[in-house]
Amino acid sequence: MPRIRDQAWEKIFAVKGWKGTGPFTITADEIKAITNQEPRLMAKFDMREDRPLILQQRGLFILPVQDGVYKILPGEGYHDLEPLSTTQEFVSRVAFSLYSLHRGIGEMQHLDYAYNCGLLGEIVGDHTLYLAARGRKRSGAFRLRVEQEWLEVEGVQIEIDAGYEGRHSIVLIEGKIRKSPYGNFIIRQLYYPYRDWTESVKVARVPKTVVPFFFIHEPGTETYNFWRYSFADLLDYGSIHLVSSSSHRIVWRPDNTQSQILKIQPDAKLEGIIPQADSLSRVVELVFRVSEGLDNSKAIAEHFGFDRRQSSYYREAAESLGLVRLEPDNRYVLTDEGKQFVALPTPERYVKLASLIIAMPIMKRVIEAVEGRLGQWVTNEEIAQIIAQHSHIGGSTAGRRTQTIKSWLKWLSKGLGWPEVDAQKGVRMRFVIPSGG
């Protein structure tokens, strides 16, 4: 499709005889007649790099101004998402796992989860929010400026993934599912709904502030990322500026989760297996990518930017967790456990993955060593010794595998609150986990 759009837009410019950088006006009927392509898809470029080459080369972007009418304008129509600070853990306020909200994979399901568990109210600073709007509508009339060009907009299609109303504010959210780095977005996705709702509350004399948010759920790290924006000049499309941003990982902790996980017995079939994939989040992402059809080492290596050897490390890690299987023809496929894993709601997926980790004999032995020395550090050297005693690995290799073990334990600490992991000191447990039910 990108190449087809490039050729189609080159044809549009040639047929229309457009020179320079406009602005130009074109209708959906003209786009259809010249290119025989679907006008909506021909004019939808959500990220800067999605634009056809001829628009990129001339510094142009597209805005709808009426139903079926578009303006092609010079200028910067996109905004780069600002880097996020450290991810914070947020404990869900729901007393049980919300299974039904995780059956879908779209941004709306993840926004629903962020709302229901209390995270959204925490970020907005208003726990009186109610879900009030969602989906597409036609805009009212409003006037805006793009650099030196004034536009009259009316009756264009606008869409919000979720709109919430509180006592003092109306929160409008544009959501995406996207892998880091997050990139940029076309400002129209926030500005048009923001202007439409701002004009609406002004006419209705409703004393509420309209607050636009950009949201990204990142599947690989299971993070919920929010950017709150404002516009310094209501009429100026390009006056967007960041108000605040934050990154969160939602965890759910039923009372007996920790004790139940620690009761899991090691799987004898995994004796002697020592993982060497440092990023557990990427191991999880690999499982999801396999479920989407990336079923060989070359495809996985290209997706992650790995070499083939790294790709095999991560596949072996997913295999040792029982989630992926290597077929005789070297294809990667999900096991039955893997299929169940990807279908689980996020909180239950954390618990399931923690259980699979503890079932690995090497992880169980390190955890038992940590439990046996409550409050004291089990050092990096001691973990390397445990590895050497229960595998064919020794010397500097055991030291390197120690870093992988610690990386996986650090993931456990983020999801479950234990154990404590320090790069230099090692691993320790600072409290006794209740025996539970």
Side-chain angles (χ1 to χ4, degrees):
M1 185 62 182
R3 183 59 189 147
I4 293 172
R5 285 197 300 205
D6 285 344
Q7 294 171 341
W9 274 102
E10 287 168 7
K11 186 175 181 180
I12 288 171
F13 271 70
V15 170
K16 298 287 287 184
W18 288 338
K19 307 294 183 184
T21 58
F24 309 115
T25 301
I26 193 167
T27 68
D29 289 342
E30 288 176 308
I31 293 173
K32 182 70 174 178
I34 294 171
T35 68
N36 200 32
Q37 299 291 326
E38 170 59 43
R40 183 181 63 83
L41 298 178
M42 286 289 293
K44 178 178 170 57
F45 311 119
D46 290 347
M47 296 179 70
R48 191 181 289 118
E49 52 271 28
D50 293 339
R51 294 172 299 163
L53 286 176
I54 196 166
L55 299 191
Q56 295 185 39
Q57 291 163 354
R58 298 195 187 192
L60 300 169
F61 71 102
I62 298 177
L63 288 180
V65 290
Q66 296 174 31
D67 183 17
V69 180
Y70 302 93
K71 274 283 187 179
I72 302 171
L73 300 155
E76 179 51 87
Y78 296 80
H79 182 79
D80 292 311
L81 283 162
E82 293 78 2
L84 293 165
S85 57
T86 305
T87 299
Q88 306 169 49
E89 182 182 283
F90 182 85
V91 180
S92 174
R93 294 172 184 169
V94 179
F96 53 90
S97 174
L98 296 172
Y99 174 75
S100 59
L101 292 181
H102 293 268
R103 292 300 297 160
I105 59 173
E107 50 271 4
M108 287 189 292
Q109 283 79 11
H110 293 291
L111 280 170
D112 285 340
Y113 184 45
Y115 171 66
N116 283 292
C117 76
L119 174 59
L120 186 59
E122 189 78 12
I123 291 168
V124 174
D126 185 351
H127 289 285
T128 67
L129 294 178
Y130 291 90
L131 180 62
R134 173 169 279 167
R136 299 172 181 172
K137 67 181 290 287
R138 292 287 174 187
S139 75
F142 56 87
R143 191 167 186 252
L144 71 143
R145 185 177 72 251
V146 179
E147 296 191 359
Q148 304 307 312
E149 187 74 15
W150 284 96
L151 305 179
E152 302 288 340
V153 172
E154 184 174 8
V156 301
Q157 183 173 281
I158 59 176
E159 182 176 2
I160 55 174
D161 290 305
Y164 302 88
E165 186 168 352
R167 291 185 185 279
H168 308 294
S169 60
I170 294 173
V171 178
L172 306 178
I173 302 180
E174 170 66 23
K176 303 290 182 187
I177 306 296
R178 194 179 294 173
K179 189 172 72 117
S180 177
Y182 305 123
N184 58 79
F185 63 92
I186 190 163
I187 298 168
R188 184 202 73 239
Q189 291 179 319
L190 292 188
Y191 183 79
Y192 275 27
Y194 169 74
R195 277 301 305 276
D196 184 68
W197 282 80
T198 299
E199 300 299 326
S200 178
V201 298
K202 187 190 301 181
V203 169
R205 297 184 179 180
V206 175
K208 296 189 179 185
T209 303
V210 179
V211 182
F213 271 87
F214 200 89
F215 162 76
I216 289 179
H217 176 260
E218 184 180 342
T221 59
E222 290 293 351
T223 51
Y224 291 70
N225 307 294
F226 291 86
W227 292 261
R228 178 175 180 169
Y229 289 101
S230 184
F231 291 86
D233 180 345
L234 180 66
L235 302 180
D236 185 355
Y237 176 92
S239 67
I240 187 171
H241 64 92
L242 181 71
V243 175
S244 61
S245 62
S246 57
S247 176
H248 306 266
R249 184 176 290 106
I250 302 172
V251 296
W252 175 67
R253 295 176 181 160
D255 293 339
N256 65 346
T257 297
Q258 296 178 342
S259 61
Q260 292 301 317
I261 288 173
L262 286 175
K263 290 178 181 178
I264 291 170
Q265 296 302 305
D267 185 344
K269 297 192 300 292
L270 302 177
E271 189 65 62
I273 292 178
I274 314 296
Q276 50 187 329
D278 286 346
S279 173
L280 191 59
S281 293
R282 283 192 164 186
V283 175
V284 173
E285 186 179 352
L286 180 146
V287 176
F288 277 85
R289 297 296 83 84
V290 171
S291 76
E292 296 166 0
L294 298 186
D295 65 354
N296 59 76
S297 61
K298 183 176 183 293
I300 291 295
E302 289 176 353
H303 175 80
F304 287 104
F306 290 161
D307 57 34
R308 290 289 188 93
R309 185 170 65 173
Q310 269 185 305
S311 176
S312 67
Y313 290 165
Y314 279 80
R315 186 265 304 161
E316 288 167 2
E319 199 170 12
S320 68
L321 291 168
L323 301 174
V324 167
R325 182 176 68 251
L326 182 64
E327 294 286 84
D329 60 359
N330 291 320
R331 284 186 308 110
Y332 301 173
V333 298
L334 293 188
T335 62
D336 289 342
E337 186 117 63
K339 294 173 184 176
Q340 294 169 10
F341 178 78
V342 298
L344 285 173
T346 301
E348 292 181 17
R349 196 182 305 140
Y350 271 105
V351 174
K352 179 62 176 177
L353 187 54
S355 302
L356 295 173
I357 290 170
I358 297 298
M360 298 181 70
I362 189 62
M363 304 300 290
K364 183 73 171 180
R365 288 188 178 103
V366 173
I367 287 290
E368 287 174 345
V370 170
E371 282 190 293
R373 301 254 293 276
L374 189 63
Q376 299 179 31
W377 294 101
V378 173
T379 67
N380 297 336
E381 291 76 15
E382 289 172 316
I383 296 173
Q385 288 172 10
I386 295 172
I387 292 171
Q389 289 168 6
H390 298 281
S391 70
H392 299 297
I393 297 169
S396 61
T397 303
R400 290 195 297 273
R401 300 292 180 88
T402 294
Q403 298 310 311
T404 302
I405 298 296
K406 288 175 60 183
S407 173
W408 288 31
L409 291 176
K410 192 168 186 177
W411 180 91
L412 280 179
S413 74
K414 289 178 180 177
L416 298 172
W418 54 264
E420 181 181 3
V421 180
D422 184 272
Q424 305 302 321
K425 296 175 183 177
V427 183
R428 71 173 176 179
M429 195 84 79
R430 288 181 296 175
F431 52 87
V432 176
I433 301 236
S435 58

